[in-house]
Amino acid sequence: MDERTGIPNGTPPAARPGGRPPVVGRPTAPPQGPPDQAAPPRTAPSQTAPTQTAPTQDLAALRLPSYVQPARPPSSDVPDWQALADRNERARRRGRLLRVGGVTAALVGVVALGAVAAAFAGGGSGQHGGGSSLHGLAPTATTGAGPGGGQPTGATGSASAGASASASGSAGASANASAGASAGASDRPSGSPSAPASRSGGTAPTSTPPLTPLQVISSVGTDTAPLSTTTLYTAADLDVDGQTFTLAATNTDNPCWKGTTGGLGNVLAPHGCLELLRATYVSGRNAVTVGIAVFDTAQQAAAVMPQYQGQIQSLVRGSVPSFCVGVSCPLTHATVGRYDYFTVAGTTDNRATSGDALAVDGGQALASYAYDRLMARG
């Protein structure tokens, strides 16, 4: 007996209530329901397929979603355009700065070259110009006593008169005299030589420029021309204000003090005076003695001027009568190169001549003549 169906075992399928012969090859479905009830009869399903109607939709009511660009994942192959733009901008700024800096540097260079050229031009012009207390001092006219009077008397002053001297005779030299204490100095070349200015970045000159006449006579090493009363006082006659002064006597004093008075020798000797070359020119009753003191260097000669005192002695010899002895006479003193030069002028009757115009002019003329002869050595 089957415990589920209650049908005796061995009952054929066809005899089973509501049963059908099993379909061959198809598994039999297990009976549904509790085991104590008979299975309800099965109705074969209808073969007609149900009709299905497609649902209708309002397309206008449909809202399509907006398209969103999907974010691209970061990739090392994609360039950073902003970084590239920043880099280009920095490069352009740097290029502008470099161009501005180059123009500025060029302008500074041009200005610097102009300044150097101006400095060089100024230095070159100063080489032959410019005043100096060592050279070209004007003859200073003073009034002093003669050999018996000791220290010079009177005050240093200026003598005004125009004097021009023209030399005739063997040498044919000429001299011009200007009036005043500074006569003859304004038209003199003055100034000590200065070293030529260096040119920045330039090439050193291959040749030494020639020395000026003042440079030549400023040192015994360069002033090598023969030196004596014969080579200095070459003019036999000098014309002063229409009066002819004729060379009457010359003398070389060594040591220098022998041709001085009033303490001038005491000033010349300590500074190394080598010799004193004197000459006397006479015109009628007027006479002038000029003396040139010789030193080794211009510095030695210039050192005498601040300490100047006394005078040179009037040179009296042969037919020249005594003058400026114990009386006041116009005096001059000056320096140029390695030389100091002095004059004393008076009358042959040995009277005081501080106010004698011809004596004053004669002293200035002889001082100018001495200066010209010394510069001619250069």
Side-chain angles (χ1 to χ4, degrees):
M1 176 76 62
D2 188 347
E3 295 178 357
R4 285 190 310 147
T5 62
I7 300 175
N9 291 332
T11 305
R16 295 185 183 194
R20 274 197 258 173
V23 181
V24 178
R26 188 174 180 186
T28 303
Q32 300 294 328
D36 56 346
Q37 294 181 3
R42 296 183 179 182
T43 305
S46 174
Q47 300 296 324
T48 302
T51 302
Q52 296 182 356
T53 303
T56 61
Q57 295 181 355
D58 187 0
L59 297 179
L62 294 177
R63 299 180 64 182
L64 297 178
S66 59
Y67 178 77
V68 178
Q69 174 72 30
R72 178 175 296 186
S75 173
S76 59
D77 297 334
V78 179
D80 187 344
W81 300 111
Q82 184 60 39
L84 290 176
D86 293 342
R87 187 188 312 164
N88 290 337
E89 180 62 24
R90 286 194 299 271
R92 281 195 296 270
R93 257 196 315 266
R94 186 164 52 249
R96 282 197 300 270
L97 290 177
L98 290 176
R99 286 193 295 273
V100 172
V103 172
T104 303
L107 290 176
V108 171
V110 170
V111 172
L113 288 177
V116 170
F120 179 77
S125 64
Q127 181 176 359
H128 303 290
S132 170
S133 61
L134 301 184
H135 306 294
L137 292 179
T140 302
T142 59
T143 302
Q151 297 294 334
T153 60
T156 300
S158 61
S160 61
S164 61
S166 60
S168 60
S170 59
S174 63
N176 293 325
S178 301
S182 60
S186 60
D187 58 346
R188 307 258 196 281
S190 61
S192 57
S194 59
S198 60
R199 188 190 300 271
S200 177
T203 304
T206 56
S207 61
T208 303
L211 297 176
T212 64
L214 183 59
Q215 289 174 320
V216 171
I217 66 172
S218 292
S219 171
V220 68
T222 53
D223 185 14
T224 57
L227 181 63
S228 66
T229 56
T230 303
T231 59
L232 286 177
Y233 307 115
T234 57
D237 298 292
L238 295 173
D239 183 75
V240 180
D241 290 345
Q243 299 290 325
T244 300
F245 280 76
T246 302
L247 180 62
T250 61
N251 190 65
T252 300
D253 300 299
N254 190 355
C256 298
W257 61 265
K258 288 185 176 181
T260 68
T261 187
L264 180 58
N266 295 332
V267 178
L268 296 177
H271 295 291
C273 182
L274 302 175
E275 57 185 355
L276 180 64
L277 308 174
R278 289 184 297 159
T280 295
Y281 283 80
V282 178
S283 176
R285 66 184 185 86
N286 293 96
V288 180
T289 295
V290 56
I292 297 176
V294 184
F295 299 84
D296 282 334
T297 67
Q299 289 76 16
Q300 291 174 317
V304 171
M305 293 296 105
Q307 305 173 24
Y308 171 79
Q309 64 178 0
Q311 65 185 67
I312 61 170
Q313 291 182 8
S314 57
L315 178 60
V316 178
R317 182 170 296 175
S319 60
V320 180
S322 176
F323 67 98
C324 292
V325 178
V327 296
S328 62
C329 294
L331 308 174
T332 68
H333 64 279
T335 183
V336 61
R338 65 186 186 105
Y339 304 98
D340 292 338
Y341 54 99
F342 312 88
T343 65
V344 55
T347 58
T348 55
D349 57 3
N350 199 38
R351 62 182 176 85
T353 55
S354 58
D356 189 289
L358 186 58
V360 172
D361 292 347
Q364 295 289 345
L366 264 295
S368 296
Y369 174 65
Y371 173 87
D372 291 338
R373 294 302 303 148
L374 293 172
M375 289 297 291
R377 295 177 57 81

